[in-house]
Amino acid sequence: MMSRAKTVQSLAVITLIFLMIAGSIGLSSGMTKEELEYRPLTLSEVTKLFAQKGLKLEAVAREGFEDTVLLGIEPEIFRIRGSEDLVWIYPFSSHREREQLAGHYWRFNDEMMAVFLPHSQLFQTLAAKNMFIVYCPLLDIESLKTMGPDYASYVQRSKAIRELVLRDLNGGKTLVFRGEGQYWMVEVVLDCFGQFYKDDQGVLGYESWSEGSSAAKYKGNPSQVESFNYSLEGNYGSISGTWHTLGPDGFARLGGGSGLVRKAEDSCSFSIQWNGRRETFNLEVDPFGMIRLPY
């Protein structure tokens, strides 16, 4: 009986979190919760949202893009006003159809690589309900090497598009887990979403995604740390590293991925060894999401 009660309680918490996310997105977009949960996105809704975020999309003729059909779907091709960057939007009829192509952000196959690489060496794929979105920045190699103004603009656009798809189209959010010991501070930043949907046959489904990044800072003189070994343990996996080094500012980027934590209720612990010393502490979610480590 106790185990059943805990299961019911956990399901209630998950449902509450989902309803809070859906409700907050509905307020900002003007859609009802039911529409957000079950109705496929339209192309006009997506392009309108891009424009609201300062990324006006201008239609591009299909000449030269005849080889971009995926699973029988032709993309609508746009150029971001004020740049040469392209955005391809594949409007599938349902979540289920789109999942046949790419269930999550990081999944590629040989067919997709062959289609996108000739158009952009830095292409990025994103998924939002029934929409598959490809960002194709047309950044030349010299701009990439020098990291000049064109590179800075590309980074800004890439981040804006990723956040737009994560938060506005998928109802996602960013969680920050943080911990601190006597000598070290650690931060894990998790982008995630979870949403219910109905496909074109009326079958209820659920889609979720998460991706994390992490960093550590030594609170003393960084020159005193020649190298360190660490491990981060989460509810769904762990990451670790050996012989890591610090930057002059005392920061070090650690591993990332999707296997540590997935939601605010999860826990994470950090263990580190350096200079013959060892420190271990837990990380807790920051309810305000204020990222303090300037890495």
Side-chain angles (χ1 to χ4, degrees):
M1 293 295 292
M2 183 63 70
S3 176
R4 180 180 177 83
K6 288 183 178 179
T7 300
V8 172
Q9 183 180 24
S10 298
L11 289 173
V13 171
I14 294 172
T15 302
L16 178 60
I17 293 172
F18 168 73
L19 291 176
M20 290 173 64
I21 294 174
S24 64
I25 300 298
L27 289 174
S28 63
S29 65
M31 300 182 192
T32 67
K33 178 172 70 65
E34 289 74 16
E35 288 175 322
L36 282 162
E37 290 177 10
Y38 304 133
R39 184 176 58 77
L41 292 166
T42 66
L43 184 65
S44 61
E45 288 171 343
V46 176
T47 56
K48 182 179 180 180
L49 185 58
F50 267 77
Q52 290 174 351
K53 300 297 181 179
L55 300 164
K56 177 68 175 178
L57 299 181
E58 299 174 334
V60 173
R62 287 195 51 80
E63 183 178 356
F65 297 96
E66 292 84 1
D67 60 346
T68 58
V69 176
L70 293 175
L71 294 182
I73 301 296
E74 293 185 354
E76 298 293 334
I77 302 176
F78 302 90
R79 178 169 286 109
I80 300 176
R81 178 180 291 178
S83 78
E84 294 299 315
D85 293 359
L86 301 176
V87 174
W88 304 357
I89 302 178
Y90 291 82
F92 288 85
S93 64
S94 68
H95 274 68
R96 194 75 70 189
E97 283 193 2
R98 190 268 298 161
E99 284 182 333
Q100 296 178 38
L101 177 66
H104 297 289
Y105 288 66
W106 62 87
R107 294 185 183 172
F108 304 118
N109 58 35
D110 292 339
E111 179 186 1
M112 293 163 62
M113 295 290 285
V115 169
F116 303 143
L117 275 178
H119 297 278
S120 173
Q121 296 295 308
L122 299 173
F123 77 88
Q124 301 169 35
T125 63
L126 301 163
K129 298 186 177 180
N130 57 302
M131 296 288 177
F132 184 66
I133 301 171
V134 185
Y135 171 44
C136 293
L138 302 185
L139 188 67
D140 62 76
I141 298 300
E142 290 305 314
S143 296
L144 181 61
K145 289 179 179 178
T146 60
M147 295 189 180
D150 290 341
Y151 176 79
S153 296
Y154 149 68
V155 171
Q156 185 177 12
R157 282 191 295 272
S158 175
K159 182 179 179 181
I161 291 172
R162 189 176 188 277
E163 291 183 349
L164 180 156
V165 174
L166 171 68
R167 292 180 174 81
D168 297 275
L169 295 180
N170 281 310
K173 58 183 177 180
T174 298
L175 297 174
V176 179
F177 292 80
R178 189 175 291 111
E180 184 173 352
Q182 182 178 355
Y183 299 99
W184 293 86
M185 300 171 62
V186 174
E187 185 174 84
V188 174
V189 180
L190 180 74
D191 292 327
C192 57
F193 70 77
Q195 58 188 349
F196 292 93
Y197 65 88
K198 283 183 179 177
D199 64 15
D200 49 357
Q201 301 298 318
V203 178
L204 185 67
Y206 181 78
E207 181 180 37
S208 63
W209 173 86
S210 66
E211 184 174 70
S213 61
S214 56
K217 176 176 174 56
Y218 183 62
K219 296 163 69 173
N221 184 347
S223 65
Q224 297 176 350
V225 180
E226 294 184 3
S227 65
F228 64 89
N229 304 336
Y230 79 93
S231 65
L232 269 166
E233 301 282 344
N235 289 68
Y236 303 96
S238 63
I239 57 175
S240 60
T242 58
W243 302 104
H244 270 252
T245 57
L246 293 172
D249 54 2
F251 282 96
R253 288 186 178 274
L254 308 179
S258 59
L260 280 175
V261 287
R262 298 177 184 174
K263 55 186 184 298
E265 294 76 20
D266 290 340
S267 61
C268 192
S269 64
F270 178 73
S271 180
I272 189 167
Q273 299 177 24
W274 81 104
N275 298 358
R277 295 182 174 182
R278 182 185 183 91
E279 188 166 59
T280 301
F281 50 85
N282 293 326
L283 280 63
E284 296 182 354
V285 70
D286 178 355
F288 302 105
M290 300 296 291
I291 301 175
R292 297 179 303 200
L293 298 185
Y295 56 91

